[in-house]
Amino acid sequence: MTISVGLVGAGPWAEMVHAPMLAAGPHTRLTGVWARRPEMAARFGVPVYERVEELFDNCEAVAFSVPPAVQAELGVLAAKAGKALLLEKPLAADLDGARRLADAVGEAGVASQMVLTWRYSAATRSFLARVSAIEPFGGRAANVSGSMLGGDFATPWRLERGAILDVGPHMIDMLDAALGRVTGVRAHGNPRGWAGLLLEHETGAVSEASLCMSVPGETPPSSVDIYGRLGRESIDGSRLGSDVFAVMLAEFAQTVRRGGHPLDAAHGLRLQEIIAAAEEQLA
């Protein structure tokens, strides 16, 4: 059954991904948009609401494509309005905001799901299944680009906070999924330059993540390598496929109808706790 989804935000990511995918169906139907710049939202061809509460009144679920601090603020309102939430990473701009949002979701009893795109790829799911068979004990991940040097995604919050807050959730989540729950983090470097994370996992495994968004020129695809007693498994961003958002929205529709998803707001909060610990060490 198709679910009606309202979109909060009308920036480049909303235009490129959220709006067209939500409108395309078959599992979702885009019913309206709210944005701080309504003239940008008008191009999506659906009603544009002046008040975000009016958007909530005309949908079952809300998708967010706004800066993290705005998502944390408006996500609480959507949860209190009884709406299911499709949430971008990171969950919030800081740990307090993430806790407020996760608490609001829990108290309202609404469904939630995070847009951790790697996890909706068939290649990723195959990779994680293979990893479990090699008795993994360590790994590494790298996400290196020039995104902060210009273009649509050189936005104020990214320029201020850097790679750990932006691409860190993807890499931390992948290492967490492959090697077990992250229980400790040590960080060095500069979030707006090159940042390195050493992660400790509940399984006894250890891993490293290298994060940077200020490298000029051509850069390799982001990648994850896992090593175990019985071999090695690897995946990179070029293998994720073009259907990750379609899979995500199909699962979100199921989440709205049935509740419960492993990549929910509580999972987003756990990633935010790791990010906050790393940023504190680099402050």
Side-chain angles (χ1 to χ4, degrees), residues 37-257:
R37 292 187 294 169
E39 69 278 4
M40 300 295 288
R43 66 190 186 277
F44 296 155
V46 294
V48 178
Y49 295 98
E50 293 185 6
R51 298 173 57 250
V52 73
E53 292 82 2
E54 293 175 326
L55 176 68
F56 299 160
D57 288 340
N58 287 277
C59 62
E60 299 171 81
V62 181
F64 291 85
S65 185
V66 288
V70 181
Q71 174 170 271
E73 173 192 352
L74 299 181
V76 168
L77 298 180
K80 290 181 176 179
K83 305 304 171 181
L85 308 181
L86 184 62
L87 298 159
E88 272 291 347
K89 58 79 203 164
L91 188 60
D94 54 39
L95 189 52
D96 286 343
R99 285 175 176 153
R100 286 193 297 272
L101 180 49
D103 287 347
V105 169
E107 290 167 5
V110 296
S112 63
Q113 191 171 314
M114 296 292 297
V115 182
L116 291 162
T117 49
W118 280 64
R119 294 281 223 111
Y120 301 101
S121 166
T124 296
R125 292 174 176 181
S126 176
F127 163 77
L128 291 173
R130 298 194 307 272
V131 161
S132 65
I134 66 170
E135 299 182 14
F137 55 74
R140 64 187 179 191
N143 194 313
V144 178
S145 74
S147 298
M148 289 175 55
L149 300 180
D152 289 336
F153 299 105
T155 53
W157 71 268
R158 291 181 174 92
L159 295 175
E160 178 186 357
R161 300 287 290 279
I164 294 178
L165 189 66
D166 185 18
V167 298
H170 288 305
M171 298 295 95
I172 295 167
D173 175 62
M174 285 294 293
L175 292 169
D176 183 272
L179 295 171
R181 189 183 183 97
V182 173
T183 56
V185 58
R186 284 175 279 169
H188 65 100
N190 179 353
R192 291 171 295 282
W194 189 282
L197 308 180
L198 175 62
L199 304 176
E200 299 170 357
H201 301 261
E202 64 180 2
T203 58
V206 293
S207 63
E208 295 88 32
S210 296
L211 309 170
C212 184
M213 297 169 63
S214 55
V215 175
E218 187 174 351
T219 55
S222 49
S223 60
V224 181
D225 300 284
I226 302 297
Y227 299 84
R229 292 175 180 82
L230 300 179
R232 167 180 174 262
E233 294 290 348
S234 300
I235 187 171
D236 68 55
S238 68
R239 295 166 54 192
L240 298 185
S242 59
D243 64 342
V244 291
F245 292 99
V247 172
M248 179 188 69
L249 292 180
E251 293 188 8
F252 182 56
Q254 291 183 346
T255 298
V256 174
R257 295 297 181 218

Side-chain angles (χ1 to χ4, degrees), residues 19-49:
M21 291 300 298
L22 289 167
H27 304 286
T28 58
R29 177 171 56 89
L30 182 61
T31 58
V33 182
W34 178 89
R36 291 184 171 177
R37 292 187 294 169
E39 69 278 4
M40 300 295 288
R43 66 190 186 277
F44 296 155
V46 294
V48 178
Y49 295 98

